[in-house]
Every structure is written in structure tokens, then in C-alpha cells.
Amino acid sequence: DGGFEPLDPGGDAGLPYADLSRTSTLAFELRGAASGPIQGSHILRVIFFPLTAWHLDVRCEVICLRVASGEHCGSLGAYGIGPPCAGEGVCGHAGAQRNVARVTLPADMANVTDTQAINVSLLSLALPPGGTFPTGLALELTDAMDLRPHFARSSGKLIFVPPQIAFAGVTNTLAGDGNSHPFRGDRLNPLYVRLLLGAVLRTPAAPAADRKAAFTIVLPPGYTCAAIDVSPSTLNVFGASRPQGRGSLPASTAAAKIGQWDLDGNLCLFEVAPSGALF
């Protein structure tokens, strides 16, 4: 029952989350359990959530320091070489996203106990461009043979990555994505819109009549919101990106559990159903 706690990267001391975009570094304090220490050659796996948002590099850079003395966790650090670190995927198939950082602790590291902690920093992380809401991490610890796994959730600060996507709005019509009938008098002009929510929209299980979560897309004057449909996977704006990050809302003609559209003139309103949430 040791401890796994993310640390403040600087400037977030009064906040409940650590903003990784400041330094692209995840730092955390790790303690062993009174009943069993963390030993040299043990393997740490830091698991990032949401799993589908992260795609770490194949290799990662690590710094490991003793909290009490500030010294490196073993002789490798003294030569400027950190512990071996690699990006892995929770799923084992080819092309799976790398959402796990695997760190092998130095063989000559002194034991990490409930009173002798270490600080581990994962440097220059590839952050998800779509960002993440504040969320926790998970840690798997195995022995030198990668056996006898122990799983823990992080405590203390949450991890936050603000969106790095350049825009939210109508996609680039110059690339041939929509706006194929742009002239006055044209009808059924398709526009593709990228939504970037600043917070989770959630409707409780039994909301009052006027308490459902919702958002509204306001079209320019003269436009009428005739229909909403799912964007195709062939839009040029997606390029070769995998995954495309196009979590789709239902069409306005469909009955969906997540919610429904209300189209009124140039207003396209989506109302989240009870117990539903949009991220």
C-alpha cells in the first residue's frame, strides 16, 4: 500500500491538477509499502488516461532521484543515463496507441520504502493534441521478471492537458471539405463543424425539465439548420491521422441514447439525455 502521487510542475500549487503543457513533464513521488519495498530492477508502468487520447513516443527519457538526499536512484544517473524507458500500448496489436510508459528501475537502486521515497520524472512527453480533462493515472509495479503485478491509482493532483488543436469551428473549406453550395440562393450547403468542449457536459439521471445539459451551434444570418448528420471519415482535414478524433454525435433524424437535436431556424441545439455525458 505505497504511494503514487503526481507532483506540481510549477505554477499549479493552488490547483487540484497539474498542467503538463507547461513543461511536457510528468513528475511523481513513489513510495513502497511497509510490507514490501520497491527494489532495483523492478518495472514500473505508468498508464495514461483516457487510453485513446495518448500516443507516447517509442522511447522516453527519465530522471529518478531520492527524495531525502536528491541523489540519483543508482549509478546510471551519475553518468547522465536515466533508467530504461519505453512507450507501450495496453493493447498488443500492431499499430496500437502507446498509452503506457514502462520504466525499469536501476539494478543497484536502494530499496524504496514507505519512509524512503523517490521522485520520478518522465520528460518531453508527446502530449495528446486534443487535450484531456483533469484525470488520474494508474501504476503497475512488477518484479525484475515482470511477474507478480501490483496495481495502484494515483492520489493527490490530477493530470490536465489543455487542447492543442488550432481551432474549433467550421473546418477548412479550402481543402474541399464542405461549403460546396456557397452562393446566395443555393440550397443544402453542407458545413462540417469541429466541436471543442471546454468542460464535460453531463445531464443527471433525473433532471428537472430545464436542467438538461445542452449546447447550441448558431449559423450565420440567412442560414437555416436543415439537418445534422455524422461527418464522413474521408474529410481532407483528417489527413492520415489515426485515430481521427471525430467522436460523432447522432444525426438529427436518429433516435439516440446520448441525446437529440432540436433545429430551429439558424439554431442547432443538442440536448444531452439523462445520465448522458459529452467529453
Side-chain angles (χ1 to χ4, degrees), residues 61-62 72 75-82:
E61 185 179 352
V62 181
H72 290 278
S75 58
L76 281 177
Y79 297 97
I81 303 173

Side-chain angles (χ1 to χ4, degrees), residues 43-231:
I43 298 171
L44 307 177
R45 285 183 173 88
V46 181
I47 305 169
F48 292 82
F49 298 103
L51 296 175
T52 54
W54 290 85
H55 197 14
L56 302 174
D57 294 330
V58 175
R59 300 296 176 192
C60 40
E61 185 179 352
V62 181
I63 295 176
C64 179
L65 302 174
R66 309 290 303 191
V67 171
S69 64
E71 297 177 348
H72 290 278
C73 306
S75 58
L76 281 177
Y79 297 97
I81 303 173
C85 179
E88 293 184 340
V90 168
C91 298
H93 64 271
Q97 288 179 258
R98 293 183 292 272
N99 36 35
V100 178
R102 168 181 165 150
V103 180
T104 303
L105 295 173
D108 59 348
M109 182 190 75
N111 287 351
V112 180
T113 66
D114 58 332
T115 60
Q116 296 292 324
I118 58 174
N119 283 349
V120 180
S121 297
L122 303 178
L123 310 179
S124 302
L125 291 174
L127 302 180
T132 69
F133 289 101
T135 187
L137 299 167
L139 179 77
E140 182 191 73
L141 172 69
T142 58
D143 62 17
M145 301 299 293
D146 207 10
L147 302 173
R148 303 177 64 187
H150 178 80
F151 183 85
R153 289 276 189 177
S154 62
S155 60
K157 282 185 176 290
L158 302 174
I159 296 303
F160 171 61
V161 180
Q164 302 171 62
I165 295 175
F167 69 90
V170 178
T171 62
N172 185 4
T173 55
L174 295 179
D177 293 338
N179 202 34
S180 55
H181 300 79
F183 300 109
R184 185 180 182 89
D186 282 347
R187 295 290 185 268
L188 302 178
N189 184 29
L191 297 177
Y192 296 104
V193 177
R194 171 181 280 168
L195 298 175
L196 195 59
L197 301 179
V200 176
L201 299 183
R202 186 180 69 86
T203 297
D210 59 345
R211 295 294 182 182
K212 290 183 180 179
F215 68 85
T216 302
I217 300 173
V218 182
L219 299 181
Y223 275 76
T224 298
C225 194
I228 304 289
D229 208 345
V230 178
S231 63

